[in-house]
Amino acid sequence: MYYLKKAVWSEGVGKQSNGNDNHDNGGATPDETASTVVGELVDSLKEERIYREITLALRTGLRDVRAEFSFLRLRGLHSLLEFLRSVSESDSTIHLFSHSQSVPQLQVVPVLFQHSLKEPADGDNSVDSLNHIFGVEPMNITSPSTDSEIAVALRVLEGCCLLHKPSTVLANKHNAIQVLINILSIRGAMEQAACLDALISIMLDSSANQMDFETRNGIEEVAELITDKEVDENLSVKYLFMEPFRSVRLKCGEFLLLLIGHVNSREKSPMATIHEDIRRLLGEKSASLIWAASQFGSTLNPEQRLTALHIQARRVLESLNSY
């Protein structure tokens, strides 16, 4: 991963340029004017260098994600995830990353759904005959996605959609809601937790994805998970000691709070029946609590909002346990 380090050769010019900025610009000397021009050139070169590093990191990561073997795809996904975390530290790098996603060869979301999140079709990797044994062309067999690969791919999808809103459109073109609902219904706790976060990221500013979620009865799948007490009781020991890890039911509570809070903040939401659906699936008491609790923290800082979200989600679970 390329961590977008500051170029050593730009430090001296940057200090000189900052010093000149403190003078009155009205009577700039030729030396100061030349220094300003040099500073602008350095900024331009720096931006070009960072963009080259972004494209190189994307090409390297995507090359591995397209591999036939799961361990190579997982390596590429981890690389992309670290890359996205680095990009998120600066508005300028987020802008350059967004620019890179206009290039089809550098787009991350389509590759995720074509490989790690690809739903296996009937007959995939099946051997119909032994002709390939006696021929010169080898048979290409792609290893299936592992649990870890799917979980990391969902985190990469989440990061792309949060940093680059048009990625939600790309996700919709690859039937993302159906794919994620299937993961939510058949996969383990690690994938389910990542899937809930990914669902929020692709739905918040996408009416098309929200409509798909409602059409495919996604809220019923979430309600089934949050009301199933055995979901958390059957967790394997390896998940219980993962850090950070919260129960799947708790993640479902957080999902519902975030989703309802977003729906309530919009005058016209594609999910017109979601309040009635939650009332029908979870009961009047829990539905009312979710609606009231979803209004939390509009004036809180991000850390306080996250703490409030965890607390309110636990209250939702408590209301369901007593229902």
Side-chain angles (χ1 to χ4, degrees), residues 20-284:
N20 291 334
D21 289 343
N22 295 329
H23 297 304
D24 182 14
N25 293 330
T29 66
D31 289 343
E32 291 173 340
T33 303
S35 178
T36 301
V37 172
V38 171
E40 293 175 353
L41 176 61
V42 168
D43 291 340
S44 177
L45 292 173
K46 177 182 177 182
E47 183 173 290
E48 291 181 5
R49 176 184 63 83
I50 293 176
Y51 185 72
R52 286 196 302 270
E53 291 185 356
I54 286 175
T55 57
L56 179 59
L58 286 171
R59 292 183 189 279
T60 303
L62 291 174
R63 180 193 61 200
D64 284 345
V65 176
R66 294 187 180 99
E68 296 177 351
F69 300 104
S70 181
F71 77 93
L72 289 177
R73 296 196 298 270
L74 183 59
R75 184 179 69 180
L77 290 168
H78 277 299
S79 174
L80 289 175
L81 189 58
E82 290 299 319
F83 162 74
L84 291 174
R85 288 170 177 163
S86 178
V87 165
S88 67
E89 296 175 358
S90 166
D91 290 339
S92 61
T93 51
I94 292 175
H95 172 74
L96 291 175
F97 169 73
S98 298
H99 178 65
S100 73
Q101 293 306 285
S102 63
V103 181
Q105 295 82 358
L106 300 178
Q107 289 175 346
V108 177
V109 170
V111 177
L112 295 177
F113 285 98
Q114 291 165 2
H115 297 274
S116 296
L117 299 179
K118 180 181 179 181
E119 295 189 300
D122 292 338
D124 274 3
N125 292 340
S126 61
V127 179
D128 297 326
S129 70
L130 300 179
N131 291 337
H132 66 282
I133 297 178
F134 306 103
V136 295
E137 293 294 333
M139 182 178 182
N140 292 328
I141 297 180
T142 301
S143 62
S145 300
T146 62
D147 295 346
S148 297
E149 180 185 344
I150 291 176
V152 179
L154 290 168
R155 294 300 180 191
V156 174
L157 174 63
E158 176 190 2
C160 286
C161 292
L162 291 176
L163 295 175
H164 179 243
K165 296 305 180 185
S167 285
T168 61
V169 178
L170 295 174
N172 183 261
K173 291 180 179 179
H174 288 81
N175 205 20
I177 294 297
Q178 182 61 57
V179 173
L180 267 60
I181 288 177
N182 288 343
I183 292 174
L184 203 61
S185 62
I186 65 175
R187 287 287 180 170
M190 181 171 58
E191 303 95 288
Q192 288 172 333
C195 188
L196 289 164
D197 289 335
L199 275 171
I200 282 292
S201 69
I202 68 174
M203 288 171 58
L204 288 185
D205 293 306
S206 173
S207 297
N209 286 326
Q210 291 180 22
M211 292 176 64
D212 283 353
F213 185 77
E214 185 172 38
T215 301
R216 301 183 186 281
N217 300 318
I219 198 67
E220 294 186 5
E221 189 64 43
V222 176
E224 183 178 343
L225 281 176
I226 198 173
T227 54
D228 186 1
K229 297 179 181 179
E230 294 183 358
V231 170
D232 290 342
E233 293 174 358
N234 294 335
L235 289 177
S236 64
V237 175
K238 69 176 181 179
Y239 291 137
L240 293 176
F241 291 96
M242 289 179 64
E243 184 65 32
F245 180 81
R246 296 188 298 280
S247 76
V248 175
R249 295 182 68 215
L250 188 61
K251 292 290 295 185
C252 287
E254 295 173 1
F255 173 86
L256 292 174
L257 289 167
L258 291 171
L259 185 61
I260 295 298
H262 179 71
V263 170
N264 290 341
S265 66
R266 303 184 64 178
E267 295 181 1
K268 296 181 179 180
S269 172
M271 295 182 289
T273 64
I274 188 170
H275 291 288
E276 183 58 35
D277 290 340
I278 292 179
R279 186 178 295 107
R280 172 175 55 85
L281 295 167
L282 302 182
E284 181 68 35

